[in-house]
Amino acid sequence: MKKIFIDGKAGTTGLRIYERLGCRTDIEMITVPEAYRKDENARKDALNRADIAFLCLPDAAAKEAVAMVENPDTVVIDTSTAHRTLPEFAYGFPELSSKFEEKIKNSKRIAVPGCHASGFIALVYPLIEKGILSPSARLTCHSVTGYSGGGKKMIEEYEAEGRDFLLGAPRQYGLTQEHKHLKEMKAMTGLETAPIFCPIVSDFYSGMVVTVPLFKEDISVSAKELISVYKEKYIGPIVSYTDAMPENGFISGAGLSGKDGMQISVLGNDDRILLVARYDNLGKGASGAAVENLNIVLGLEKTLGLAL
């Protein structure tokens, strides 16, 4: 039986991972008493006793945790931004290609993709991979997300009595175009230039929709042919293409809230095309992806313990 430790279990991502693993009989959870949750020696001991350690920590703390791991057999699955573009870390999106999945299987260091980045990369990577979209393309990406993506502090702000009335309307952020996901969005797709990225947080708990608009001259095939590319690439059960995403002409960001899958769709028309990915920022955008990577490391069915 494999021993699992979640460093940062009290956070939003850590709690969701713990929930996903709670009913599993094939693993044993290592826990640290609440009084020692931030004690360096207690954490180091737990990290090195674990077969697999999840890091659900801010970037600086995640780097410190990796440095604490001296056991050569401990697999680290990091949900922070700290290590996503480092070559020694496998990028934890196995659906991108067999190469990505094999690296996850064989790596002791795995980085879980960022929530916004997951949708963008899922949409753009296959097009650059097939030569349909040039790496020199200058793209725009819009993303609408639930407020749980902001962590405990933002959740408390949105759920507080007498909250600021401004929280009732969508709020765009990342206004300096220096969002922390941009680095992996560029690196993992092979783009030469990071996209213009417009994330928006809105008044619902979890879920997200990521959209990449294209003009027909941006690509070398028709919109119909794009659909074939995605259907061939994403065959499920976790990531799959769907024609049924819009509901009466609308797409709800909460459509996959509580789920661990991702839907891909091609909308618009032959001249102006919308590439759309819908999923849960806490699911395929964080905790669900982390558990999927755990299953791959253990040689189990990828969907074990996931809500699809």
Side-chain angles (χ1 to χ4, degrees), residues 66-290:
V66 170
M68 290 181 192
V69 178
E70 298 170 347
N71 184 344
D73 296 322
T74 297
V75 176
V76 174
I77 301 178
D78 181 17
T79 69
S80 81
T81 312
H83 302 104
R84 289 175 184 158
T85 58
L86 297 183
E88 59 267 34
F89 273 73
Y91 192 71
F93 202 126
E95 292 84 3
L96 293 178
S97 73
S98 58
K99 182 176 72 173
F100 278 82
E101 184 163 352
E102 282 302 310
K103 188 170 182 178
I104 294 166
K105 284 181 182 177
N106 298 308
S107 180
K108 299 294 185 185
R109 299 289 182 269
I110 300 164
V112 177
C115 56
H116 299 287
S118 294
F120 179 81
I121 293 166
L123 295 169
V124 174
Y125 179 89
L127 306 189
I128 292 181
E129 178 187 36
K130 286 188 170 291
I132 293 169
L133 181 69
S134 171
S136 64
R138 289 178 170 267
L139 301 179
T140 298
C141 176
H142 300 275
S143 183
V144 178
T145 183
Y147 58 77
S148 60
K152 277 190 167 183
K153 183 179 179 181
M154 184 173 284
I155 292 171
E156 289 171 359
E157 289 174 347
Y158 270 88
E159 297 184 351
E161 276 190 53
R163 69 180 192 179
D164 190 321
F165 80 96
L166 294 175
L167 299 181
R171 296 187 298 161
Q172 186 167 323
Y173 63 105
L175 303 178
T176 62
Q177 289 301 301
E178 295 177 352
H179 193 282
K180 62 183 182 179
H181 290 181
L182 283 168
K183 187 176 180 180
E184 66 186 286
M185 291 162 79
K186 176 175 178 283
M188 294 304 156
T189 56
L191 284 170
E192 295 171 4
T193 305
I196 294 174
F197 180 40
C198 304
I200 298 168
V201 61
S202 195
D203 189 12
F204 62 102
Y205 182 73
S206 73
M208 63 195 313
V209 174
V210 174
T211 303
V212 178
L214 298 173
F215 285 105
K216 65 178 181 181
E217 55 264 30
D218 293 328
I219 54 175
S220 60
V221 300
S222 67
K224 186 176 181 180
E225 289 172 297
L226 286 181
I227 293 174
S228 297
V229 170
Y230 290 123
K231 283 184 174 179
E232 179 184 333
K233 169 67 78 174
Y234 301 125
I235 59 175
I238 296 175
V239 183
S240 58
Y241 182 85
T242 180
D243 288 315
M245 192 184 296
E247 301 95 5
N248 299 316
F250 295 87
I251 297 175
S252 171
L256 288 182
S257 180
K259 303 295 185 181
D260 294 314
M262 176 185 285
Q263 296 174 332
I264 302 292
S265 198
V266 177
L267 303 170
N269 53 52
D270 286 337
D271 183 52
R272 299 181 308 284
I273 301 160
L274 299 176
L275 310 179
V276 183
R278 178 164 67 174
Y279 50 106
D280 188 347
N281 56 289
L282 296 180
K284 184 59 172 168
S287 305

